[in-house]
């Protein structure tokens, strides 16, 4: 199938065509992402931002905008640069200095119970969470990605990220012995 046909099918909602285009341009995304560093983010975050830019390009492309590859390049680069700029803003300084959950003993529910050897700790963490946080925590502990959790609870990925940040803070208090959450 030609690129033009794939773009038309993807615009019409064909997930297979969308996937083919995402795979076809993944090399371009990787090449662009390698050039940038997002302060306070994992190394693959620039790549993820680039993939979001590619997705946007596929969804918004119109033939009259010129060649798709040039349009995709511009959208990918713009999305990565937006993320780099947003991360380096003064208002994001606290986010850039946070301690990720991976740096605590709470990596997954299995590791937590193995390391601490106590299901009561999981129950204490869950007891400190509201209903939606508990559901998000459960899905995360099962290994769901942020996108999968967002889809499951019908919220944005940003909402899931914010909720997991709150959960991390609460879990950290329990792990450090302060249960006054």
């Amino acid at each position: 199938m030609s690129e033009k046909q794939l773009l038309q099918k993807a615009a019409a909602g064909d997930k297979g065509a969308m996937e083919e285009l995402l795979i076809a341009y993944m090399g371009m995304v990787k090449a662009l992402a390698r050039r940038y560093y997002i302060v306070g983010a994992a190394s693959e975050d620039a790549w993820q931002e680039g993939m979001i830019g590619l997705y946007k390009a596929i969804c918004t492309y119109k033939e009259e905008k010129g060649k798709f590859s040039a349009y995709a390049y511009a959208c990918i680069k713009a999305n990565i640069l937006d993320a780099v700029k947003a991360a380096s803003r003064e208002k994001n300084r606290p986010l850039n200095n946070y301690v990720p959950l991976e740096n605590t003993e709470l990596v997954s529910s299995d590791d937590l119970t193995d390391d601490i050897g106590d299901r009561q700790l999981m129950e204490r963490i869950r007891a400190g969470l509201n209903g939606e946080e508990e559901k998000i925590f459960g899905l995360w502990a099962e290994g769901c990605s942020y996108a999968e959790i967002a889809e499951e609870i019908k919220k944005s990925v940003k909402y899931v990220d914010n909720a997991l940040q709150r959960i991390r803070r609460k879990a950290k208090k329990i792990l450090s012995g302060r249960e006054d959450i």
Side-chain angles (χ1 to χ4, degrees):
M1 204 177 314
S2 73
E3 184 176 271
K4 182 179 177 180
Q5 291 171 317
L6 286 172
L7 286 164
Q8 289 170 344
K9 286 186 172 216
D14 184 329
K15 290 181 181 182
M18 175 68 75
E19 190 174 322
E20 278 190 56
L21 287 165
L22 289 170
I23 291 168
Y25 282 88
M26 199 176 292
M28 179 188 287
V29 174
K30 286 179 184 176
L32 276 167
R34 273 190 227 117
R35 298 180 190 173
Y36 300 97
Y37 172 74
I38 300 175
V39 177
S43 58
E44 56 275 339
D45 286 354
W47 177 79
Q48 290 173 347
E49 288 296 331
M51 289 302 289
I52 292 168
L54 174 58
Y55 178 81
K56 289 176 183 176
I58 294 168
C59 292
T60 61
Y61 176 72
K62 302 283 185 245
E63 250 186 281
E64 57 271 7
K65 290 184 179 182
K67 193 171 177 183
F68 176 73
S69 60
Y71 181 69
Y73 181 91
C75 289
I76 293 164
K77 186 174 180 180
N79 217 63
I80 293 171
L81 286 174
D82 285 348
V84 169
K85 288 175 191 172
S88 63
R89 289 188 186 118
E90 188 68 28
K91 71 178 188 175
N92 289 325
R93 182 171 289 185
L95 290 174
N96 295 336
N97 296 325
Y98 82 98
V99 177
L101 187 58
E102 292 80 25
N103 291 346
T104 68
E105 288 149 16
L106 179 60
V107 174
S108 73
S109 58
D110 292 337
D111 290 340
L112 182 65
T113 53
D114 289 346
D115 290 346
I116 297 175
D118 186 0
R119 286 189 173 266
Q120 291 176 344
L121 182 60
M122 287 293 284
E123 291 171 15
R124 288 189 353 232
I125 291 172
R126 287 184 186 270
L129 306 177
N130 66 37
E132 191 158 53
E133 288 173 340
E134 188 175 349
K135 182 170 184 161
I136 291 169
F137 178 69
L139 290 167
W140 175 84
E142 291 172 10
C144 293
S145 69
Y146 282 32
E148 291 168 333
I149 296 169
E151 187 175 314
E152 175 73 24
I153 65 168
K154 309 280 190 270
K155 301 281 184 175
S156 70
V157 173
K158 179 66 175 166
Y159 181 90
V160 171
D161 182 52
N162 289 341
L164 284 169
Q165 293 300 326
R166 285 191 309 277
I167 293 166
R168 284 181 177 112
R169 285 190 299 274
K170 290 177 180 183
K172 204 170 173 187
K173 285 179 183 180
I174 289 172
L175 288 170
S176 68
R178 288 180 39 219
E179 296 182 33
D180 57 329
I181 58 175

